[in-house]
């Protein structure tokens, strides 16, 4: 069972985490620049890094 979190916010965006160099990123709208955000992972990763 997943954990539940309550977050008061202005807007919700569904997206996919994409590779970015040695890391990953989530793209958000340009109008969000300068805003405080929180990212919540809602599923297990489908791709595992090889170490």
């Amino acid at each position: 069972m997943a954990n539940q979190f309550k977050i008061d916010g202005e807007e919700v965006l569904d997206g996919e985490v994409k590779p970015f160099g040695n890391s990953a990123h989530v793209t958000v709208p340009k109008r969000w620049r300068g805003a405080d955000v929180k990212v919540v992972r809602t599923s297990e990763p489908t791709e595992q890094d090889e170490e």
Side-chain angles (χ1 to χ4, degrees):
M1 180 172 219
N3 293 322
Q4 287 190 343
F5 300 92
K6 180 179 183 241
I7 300 171
D8 293 327
E10 300 294 325
E11 200 171 353
V12 174
L13 185 72
D14 286 329
E16 181 182 344
V17 179
K18 298 187 179 176
F20 186 77
N22 291 332
S23 186
H25 75 250
V26 177
T27 303
V28 298
K30 194 180 277 189
R31 68 181 184 278
W32 286 22
R33 281 190 290 183
D36 294 329
V37 299
K38 297 183 186 316
V39 177
V40 177
R41 183 171 54 86
T42 58
S43 68
E44 290 294 323
T46 57
E47 196 175 292
Q48 297 295 323
D49 290 339
E50 294 182 25
E51 293 185 29

